[in-house]
Amino acid sequence: MLETVSSLISPPLPAVWPRFAQPLRLGVMASGNGSNLEAIAASIQRGDLHGEIRVVVYNNPGAKVADRAARLGLPTVLLNHRQYASREALDEAIVNTLDTYGVDWVVMAGWMRCVTTRLIEAFPGRVLNIHPSLLPSFPGIRAVDQALAAGVKLAGCTVHQVELAVDSGPVVMQAAVPVKSDDTVNTLQARIQQQEHQLYPAAIALAAQQKFSQAQRF
Ligand code: GRF
């Protein structure tokens, strides 16, 4: 009988997780639910991802991510974009907050705002995002709807370094899942999210490993 492939992660999840000179100092940015925050925190707690979450920045008052962060004992800072005159002004406040908490790696986990060069240049090559599609297909909002509407047979998620254009920048890791003929946006999204939770901690470790080995070569 043929075996059904339920997911494919590339590069593969680490057999042995890397240890760094000191735990990666992460700042998580989120707008809504926060399940990826929870998965990253769980990975750290298991002793897989060698990191610590210094702060969770969120922009929507009442977002579920704030409750999750509080339950995990993580500091939260609300930066409500509605109270800033421009994207740059918001990013200025974000950078100041991340600096205050000693963050080295910025992890966007469901951050639903466009970012500016102010943030990207403050953390060169150290701003990561997760997107629920196999980029460069289906950037932007409602990526899972877009994939279903296009009739693709494989969907998935991507962790990438953040550049100015939405959902662009070098890919760090991807996970692919099959699309089933009776999938709805909800069922497909759930299958993708399961993969996101495995992918993101591993991709953070890999991005850091790559960055440190690059630095040693120069
Ligand atoms: C994820 O599907 C991610 O790919 C997208 O936003 C969603 C965030 O989910 N960028 P959660 O808030 O981590 O549950």
Side-chain angles (χ1 to χ4, degrees):
M1 208 169 81
L2 279 181
E3 205 181 306
T4 310
V5 177
S6 60
S7 71
L8 172 67
I9 295 187
S10 183
L13 295 174
V16 178
W17 288 73
R19 311 299 293 170
F20 304 103
Q22 54 173 9
L24 304 174
R25 304 192 312 183
L26 311 176
V28 175
M29 292 168 57
S31 297
N33 181 29
S35 69
N36 280 284
L37 167 71
E38 193 113 23
I40 293 164
S43 174
I44 293 171
Q45 212 157 24
R46 280 196 303 274
D48 288 345
L49 175 59
H50 188 209
E52 55 179 340
I53 299 171
R54 308 281 290 202
V55 66
V56 177
V57 172
Y58 67 108
N59 65 314
N60 287 322
K64 201 167 164 192
V65 67
D67 298 336
R68 293 195 199 242
R71 197 167 9 91
L72 292 162
L74 301 171
T76 54
V77 175
L78 170 64
L79 297 175
N80 185 341
H81 61 277
R82 298 160 193 88
Q83 290 167 359
Y84 294 84
S86 64
R87 292 189 192 283
E88 285 74 16
L90 173 64
D91 279 5
E92 183 70 29
I94 293 172
V95 170
N96 288 340
T97 303
L98 297 173
D99 281 346
T100 302
Y101 283 88
V103 166
D104 289 326
W105 287 85
V106 184
V107 175
M108 292 177 19
W111 179 255
M112 299 303 286
R113 309 289 309 162
C114 294
V115 295
T116 69
T117 51
R118 179 69 188 94
L119 177 69
I120 295 170
E121 287 173 6
F123 298 91
R126 287 181 283 119
V127 184
L128 302 175
N129 182 42
I130 189 159
H131 181 73
S133 79
L134 294 173
L135 291 172
S137 294
F138 315 125
I141 57 167
R142 289 193 277 278
V144 179
D145 302 54
Q146 292 184 53
L148 268 185
V152 296
K153 304 303 173 207
L154 283 172
C157 47
T158 304
V159 174
H160 64 97
Q161 283 176 31
V162 171
E163 288 182 352
L164 214 44
V166 171
D167 301 322
S168 75
V171 169
V172 181
M173 279 180 87
Q174 289 183 310
V177 297
V179 179
K180 299 184 179 169
S181 54
D182 59 350
D183 261 334
T184 62
V185 171
N186 285 346
T187 58
L188 181 55
Q189 198 152 321
R191 193 172 312 118
I192 293 171
Q193 272 236 318
Q194 252 183 3
Q195 296 305 309
E196 289 189 349
H197 298 161
Q198 295 200 69
L199 191 71
Y200 216 169
I204 294 166
L206 180 61
Q209 218 177 8
Q210 287 171 347
K211 187 90 181 158
F212 291 135
S213 65
Q214 254 171 25
Q216 272 163 7
R217 281 204 296 275
F218 294 102

